[in-house]
PDB file of all heavy atoms in Angstrom:
ATOM      1  N   ARG A  30     161.552-112.914-185.847  1.00 94.00           N
ATOM      2  CA  ARG A  30     161.708-111.853-186.876  1.00 94.00           C
ATOM      3  C   ARG A  30     163.199-111.515-186.965  1.00 94.00           C
ATOM      4  O   ARG A  30     163.756-111.098-185.907  1.00 94.00           O
ATOM      5  CB  ARG A  30     160.788-110.814-186.592  1.00 94.00           C
ATOM      6  CG  ARG A  30     159.400-111.159-186.041  1.00 94.00           C
ATOM      7  CD  ARG A  30     158.603-111.735-187.151  1.00 94.00           C
ATOM      8  NE  ARG A  30     158.165-110.839-188.252  1.00 94.00           N
ATOM      9  CZ  ARG A  30     157.107-110.036-188.074  1.00 94.00           C
ATOM     10  NH1 ARG A  30     156.431-110.023-187.036  1.00 94.00           N
ATOM     11  NH2 ARG A  30     156.779-109.201-189.193  1.00 94.00           N
ATOM     12  N   VAL A  31     163.744-111.462-188.252  1.00 95.00           N
ATOM     13  CA  VAL A  31     165.075-111.074-188.403  1.00 95.00           C
ATOM     14  C   VAL A  31     165.066-109.666-189.123  1.00 95.00           C
ATOM     15  O   VAL A  31     164.521-109.534-190.186  1.00 95.00           O
ATOM     16  CB  VAL A  31     165.885-112.100-189.299  1.00 95.00           C
ATOM     17  CG1 VAL A  31     167.329-111.706-189.550  1.00 95.00           C
ATOM     18  CG2 VAL A  31     165.802-113.405-188.594  1.00 95.00           C
ATOM     19  N   PHE A  32     165.668-108.785-188.600  1.00 95.00           N
ATOM     20  CA  PHE A  32     165.843-107.303-189.170  1.00 95.00           C
ATOM     21  C   PHE A  32     167.343-107.224-189.607  1.00 95.00           C
ATOM     22  O   PHE A  32     168.306-107.433-188.898  1.00 95.00           O
ATOM     23  CB  PHE A  32     165.601-106.257-188.039  1.00 95.00           C
ATOM     24  CG  PHE A  32     164.206-106.235-187.477  1.00 95.00           C
ATOM     25  CD1 PHE A  32     163.780-107.064-186.590  1.00 95.00           C
ATOM     26  CD2 PHE A  32     163.263-105.355-188.102  1.00 95.00           C
ATOM     27  CE1 PHE A  32     162.392-107.148-186.178  1.00 95.00           C
ATOM     28  CE2 PHE A  32     161.949-105.249-187.766  1.00 95.00           C
ATOM     29  CZ  PHE A  32     161.628-106.093-186.752  1.00 95.00           C
ATOM     30  N   ASP A  33     167.515-106.828-190.833  1.00 95.00           N
ATOM     31  CA  ASP A  33     168.847-106.469-191.396  1.00 95.00           C
ATOM     32  C   ASP A  33     168.991-104.957-191.349  1.00 95.00           C
ATOM     33  O   ASP A  33     168.436-104.292-192.039  1.00 95.00           O
ATOM     34  CB  ASP A  33     168.958-107.063-192.831  1.00 95.00           C
ATOM     35  CG  ASP A  33     170.420-106.839-193.348  1.00 95.00           C
ATOM     36  OD1 ASP A  33     171.415-106.465-192.548  1.00 95.00           O
ATOM     37  OD2 ASP A  33     170.593-107.162-194.603  1.00 95.00           O
ATOM     38  N   ALA A  34     169.867-104.581-190.471  1.00 94.00           N
ATOM     39  CA  ALA A  34     170.168-103.057-190.348  1.00 94.00           C
ATOM     40  C   ALA A  34     171.047-102.449-191.336  1.00 94.00           C
ATOM     41  O   ALA A  34     171.283-101.227-191.257  1.00 94.00           O
ATOM     42  CB  ALA A  34     170.681-102.786-188.862  1.00 94.00           C
ATOM     43  N   LEU A  42     164.282 -97.813-188.353  1.00 95.00           N
ATOM     44  CA  LEU A  42     164.335 -99.237-187.912  1.00 95.00           C
ATOM     45  C   LEU A  42     163.922 -99.481-186.452  1.00 95.00           C
ATOM     46  O   LEU A  42     163.142-100.401-186.264  1.00 95.00           O
ATOM     47  CB  LEU A  42     165.892 -99.559-188.112  1.00 95.00           C
ATOM     48  CG  LEU A  42     166.195-101.071-187.726  1.00 95.00           C
ATOM     49  CD1 LEU A  42     165.531-102.051-188.673  1.00 95.00           C
ATOM     50  CD2 LEU A  42     167.756-101.217-187.648  1.00 95.00           C
ATOM     51  N   GLN A  45     160.115 -99.797-186.072  1.00 96.00           N
ATOM     52  CA  GLN A  45     159.535-100.912-186.515  1.00 96.00           C
ATOM     53  C   GLN A  45     159.851-102.044-185.566  1.00 96.00           C
ATOM     54  O   GLN A  45     158.930-102.971-185.317  1.00 96.00           O
ATOM     55  CB  GLN A  45     160.081-101.340-187.909  1.00 96.00           C
ATOM     56  CG  GLN A  45     159.745-100.324-189.025  1.00 96.00           C
ATOM     57  CD  GLN A  45     158.265-100.358-189.330  1.00 96.00           C
ATOM     58  OE1 GLN A  45     157.612-101.276-189.161  1.00 96.00           O
ATOM     59  NE2 GLN A  45     157.693 -99.165-189.614  1.00 96.00           N
ATOM     60  N   ILE A  46     160.956-102.064-184.995  1.00 96.00           N
ATOM     61  CA  ILE A  46     161.338-103.156-183.993  1.00 96.00           C
ATOM     62  C   ILE A  46     160.466-102.988-182.819  1.00 96.00           C
ATOM     63  O   ILE A  46     160.021-103.956-182.233  1.00 96.00           O
ATOM     64  CB  ILE A  46     162.843-102.939-183.542  1.00 96.00           C
ATOM     65  CG1 ILE A  46     163.686-103.343-184.835  1.00 96.00           C
ATOM     66  CG2 ILE A  46     163.119-103.959-182.607  1.00 96.00           C
ATOM     67  CD1 ILE A  46     165.201-103.075-184.531  1.00 96.00           C
ATOM     68  N   VAL A  49     156.994-104.474-183.292  1.00 95.00           N
ATOM     69  CA  VAL A  49     156.986-105.920-183.278  1.00 95.00           C
ATOM     70  C   VAL A  49     157.239-106.493-181.866  1.00 95.00           C
ATOM     71  O   VAL A  49     156.568-107.435-181.409  1.00 95.00           O
ATOM     72  CB  VAL A  49     158.166-106.525-184.204  1.00 95.00           C
ATOM     73  CG1 VAL A  49     158.294-107.961-184.027  1.00 95.00           C
ATOM     74  CG2 VAL A  49     157.875-106.132-185.609  1.00 95.00           C
ATOM     75  N   MET A  67     160.009-112.425-181.021  1.00 93.00           N
ATOM     76  CA  MET A  67     161.530-112.238-180.775  1.00 93.00           C
ATOM     77  C   MET A  67     162.116-111.549-182.042  1.00 93.00           C
ATOM     78  O   MET A  67     161.725-111.589-183.110  1.00 93.00           O
ATOM     79  CB  MET A  67     162.053-113.617-180.828  1.00 93.00           C
ATOM     80  CG  MET A  67     161.859-114.466-179.527  1.00 93.00           C
ATOM     81  SD  MET A  67     162.657-113.790-178.101  1.00 93.00           S
ATOM     82  CE  MET A  67     164.448-113.982-178.544  1.00 93.00           C
ATOM     83  N   CYS A  68     162.940-110.568-181.766  1.00 94.00           N
ATOM     84  CA  CYS A  68     163.542-109.822-182.787  1.00 94.00           C
ATOM     85  C   CYS A  68     165.071-109.962-182.779  1.00 94.00           C
ATOM     86  O   CYS A  68     165.696-109.790-181.769  1.00 94.00           O
ATOM     87  CB  CYS A  68     163.162-108.277-182.593  1.00 94.00           C
ATOM     88  SG  CYS A  68     161.553-107.840-182.718  1.00 94.00           S
ATOM     89  N   ILE A  69     165.589-110.391-183.942  1.00 94.00           N
ATOM     90  CA  ILE A  69     166.994-110.551-184.106  1.00 94.00           C
ATOM     91  C   ILE A  69     167.481-109.400-185.106  1.00 94.00           C
ATOM     92  O   ILE A  69     166.974-109.346-186.320  1.00 94.00           O
ATOM     93  CB  ILE A  69     167.333-111.928-184.730  1.00 94.00           C
ATOM     94  CG1 ILE A  69     166.863-113.011-183.655  1.00 94.00           C
ATOM     95  CG2 ILE A  69     168.868-112.076-184.847  1.00 94.00           C
ATOM     96  CD1 ILE A  69     166.989-114.405-184.254  1.00 94.00           C
ATOM     97  N   VAL A  70     168.354-108.585-184.635  1.00 95.00           N
ATOM     98  CA  VAL A  70     168.887-107.570-185.481  1.00 95.00           C
ATOM     99  C   VAL A  70     170.280-107.881-185.990  1.00 95.00           C
ATOM    100  O   VAL A  70     171.134-108.121-185.086  1.00 95.00           O
ATOM    101  CB  VAL A  70     168.808-106.113-184.751  1.00 95.00           C
ATOM    102  CG1 VAL A  70     169.218-105.016-185.696  1.00 95.00           C
ATOM    103  CG2 VAL A  70     167.493-105.867-184.229  1.00 95.00           C
ATOM    104  N   LEU A  71     170.585-107.792-187.185  1.00 94.00           N
ATOM    105  CA  LEU A  71     171.931-108.116-187.688  1.00 94.00           C
ATOM    106  C   LEU A  71     172.574-106.917-188.377  1.00 94.00           C
ATOM    107  O   LEU A  71     171.796-105.989-188.795  1.00 94.00           O
ATOM    108  CB  LEU A  71     171.831-109.250-188.712  1.00 94.00           C
ATOM    109  CG  LEU A  71     171.091-110.556-188.447  1.00 94.00           C
ATOM    110  CD1 LEU A  71     171.027-111.553-189.532  1.00 94.00           C
ATOM    111  CD2 LEU A  71     171.799-111.255-187.066  1.00 94.00           C
ATOM    112  N   ASN A  72     173.903-106.876-188.503  1.00 94.00           N
ATOM    113  CA  ASN A  72     174.566-105.848-189.036  1.00 94.00           C
ATOM    114  C   ASN A  72     174.404-104.520-188.383  1.00 94.00           C
ATOM    115  O   ASN A  72     174.194-103.382-189.077  1.00 94.00           O
ATOM    116  CB  ASN A  72     174.253-105.767-190.594  1.00 94.00           C
ATOM    117  CG  ASN A  72     174.610-106.990-191.341  1.00 94.00           C
ATOM    118  OD1 ASN A  72     175.665-107.502-191.089  1.00 94.00           O
ATOM    119  ND2 ASN A  72     173.750-107.411-192.213  1.00 94.00           N
ATOM    120  N   PHE A 154     162.333-109.763-191.758  1.00 93.00           N
ATOM    121  CA  PHE A 154     161.264-108.575-191.728  1.00 93.00           C
ATOM    122  C   PHE A 154     161.546-107.742-192.970  1.00 93.00           C
ATOM    123  O   PHE A 154     162.704-107.299-193.186  1.00 93.00           O
ATOM    124  CB  PHE A 154     161.396-107.913-190.354  1.00 93.00           C
ATOM    125  CG  PHE A 154     160.412-106.784-190.238  1.00 93.00           C
ATOM    126  CD1 PHE A 154     159.125-107.034-189.721  1.00 93.00           C
ATOM    127  CD2 PHE A 154     160.706-105.505-190.575  1.00 93.00           C
ATOM    128  CE1 PHE A 154     158.294-105.943-189.501  1.00 93.00           C
ATOM    129  CE2 PHE A 154     159.840-104.411-190.459  1.00 93.00           C
ATOM    130  CZ  PHE A 154     158.483-104.690-189.924  1.00 93.00           C
ATOM    131  N   MET A 156     161.223-104.204-194.406  1.00 88.00           N
ATOM    132  CA  MET A 156     160.947-102.749-194.018  1.00 88.00           C
ATOM    133  C   MET A 156     159.909-102.096-195.006  1.00 88.00           C
ATOM    134  O   MET A 156     159.968-102.232-196.106  1.00 88.00           O
ATOM    135  CB  MET A 156     162.166-102.026-193.922  1.00 88.00           C
ATOM    136  CG  MET A 156     163.162-102.324-192.867  1.00 88.00           C
ATOM    137  SD  MET A 156     162.504-101.811-191.225  1.00 88.00           S
ATOM    138  CE  MET A 156     162.774-100.010-191.362  1.00 88.00           C
TER     139      MET A 156
END
Side-chain angles (χ1 to χ4, degrees):
R30 316 290 291 275
V31 180
F32 294 80
D33 189 4
L42 176 70
Q45 294 297 324
I46 295 172
V49 174
M67 290 292 296
C68 294
I69 301 172
V70 185
L71 305 177
N72 299 315
F154 184 88
M156 289 287 289

